[in-house]
Amino acid sequence: MSESKEKVTEEQTAEEQQQNEQSAEQENKTEELYAQYEDYEADELRDLLVARDQEVQALEQELAEAKDSHLRKAAELENYRKRVQRERSQVYETAKANALEDFLEINDDLQRTLKAAEDLDVNDTLMDGVNLVASKFKEVLNKYGVERIDEEGVPFNVDLHDAMMRQKPEDDSIGSDMVLNVVESGYRMGDRTIRHAKVIVSE
């Protein structure tokens, strides 16, 4: 007989021996149970079965309550994890907005400088340097999703605009509560307004 066949035969023999031992152990347990209850009367056995059923029901109830408690605690833990993650994200967004806000006025000054230089005879090399700095500022703001709020002719929105004054529009077709002029641009990052735009609003 080959070595592989001998190995298979030994494994089968060991498995059969284990099954026989388990079967014998089960038979011994059954016989012990029979011996335990053979002296009981029918009424006693009935009462014992009722008591066992009640005990099983009580245990099942405890198990159900334990499972329910476990599910509730798991849900509470998941809610806590999500809340911490949400709060951490909010703290990060707030810190980022606060840091960017400090640079917005510098960016505004650069934009005003470029606009004023359009009507002046300024050294080209100097203007190239200013344009380069302004371009880098714009890249940083774009990187963090910061957008200017400077659109005119749109409805006034308290979430985006800060009304400096109201005035009657020159064009009678313009309704009330429209942005006539942007005095100072605002900025927003996603749904968060970093700085409200200062605007003049139609009466």
Side-chain angles (χ1 to χ4, degrees), residues 32-48:
E32 288 176 2
L33 284 172
Y34 281 137
Q36 183 179 354
Y37 296 111
E38 63 182 356
D39 295 333
Y40 282 77
E41 298 292 334
D43 290 342
E44 291 176 323
L45 288 172
R46 199 164 25 248
D47 292 341
L48 187 60

Side-chain angles (χ1 to χ4, degrees), residues 99-116 130-142 146-150 184-188 194-195:
L100 289 170
E101 188 176 4
D102 294 336
F103 292 94
L104 297 181
E105 290 197 14
I106 300 174
N107 185 59
D108 288 341
D109 290 341
L110 282 171
Q111 297 303 321
R112 281 191 284 266
T113 300
L114 291 173
K115 190 172 182 62
V130 175
N131 275 310
L132 179 62
V133 174
S135 177
K136 287 185 176 180
F137 259 100
K138 186 176 180 180
E139 288 177 5
V140 171
L141 296 179
N142 288 339
V146 178
E147 300 175 354
R148 289 172 68 91
I149 305 172
D150 58 2
E184 182 181 73
S185 297
Y187 292 89
R188 65 182 173 187
I194 302 176
R195 190 181 77 190

Side-chain angles (χ1 to χ4, degrees), residues 68-80:
D68 184 61
S69 176
H70 173 73
L71 290 174
R72 280 201 308 273
K73 288 179 179 179
E76 289 173 1
L77 181 61
E78 179 64 15
N79 290 335
Y80 174 75

Side-chain angles (χ1 to χ4, degrees), residues 117-189:
E118 292 176 358
D119 301 324
L120 300 174
D121 185 14
V122 182
N123 181 281
D124 290 340
T125 304
L126 175 63
M127 287 309 302
D128 288 343
V130 175
N131 275 310
L132 179 62
V133 174
S135 177
K136 287 185 176 180
F137 259 100
K138 186 176 180 180
E139 288 177 5
V140 171
L141 296 179
N142 288 339
K143 175 183 176 181
Y144 290 100
V146 178
E147 300 175 354
R148 289 172 68 91
I149 305 172
D150 58 2
E151 193 174 0
E152 298 178 354
V154 296
F156 175 78
N157 184 341
V158 293
D159 293 329
L160 304 176
H161 305 123
D162 182 12
M164 303 298 294
M165 63 178 293
R166 287 181 174 273
Q167 69 181 35
K168 188 173 181 179
E170 296 179 1
D171 188 346
D172 293 336
S173 65
I174 298 177
S176 61
D177 289 329
M178 299 293 290
V179 175
L180 297 177
N181 191 3
V182 178
V183 179
E184 182 181 73
S185 297
Y187 292 89
R188 65 182 173 187
M189 184 173 61

Side-chain angles (χ1 to χ4, degrees), residues 50-81:
V50 170
R52 287 291 173 87
D53 284 344
Q54 291 175 343
E55 185 179 353
V56 168
Q57 289 176 3
L59 290 172
E60 288 177 344
Q61 179 67 24
E62 289 180 12
L63 179 61
E65 291 174 355
K67 285 182 178 179
D68 184 61
S69 176
H70 173 73
L71 290 174
R72 280 201 308 273
K73 288 179 179 179
E76 289 173 1
L77 181 61
E78 179 64 15
N79 290 335
Y80 174 75
R81 186 187 66 80

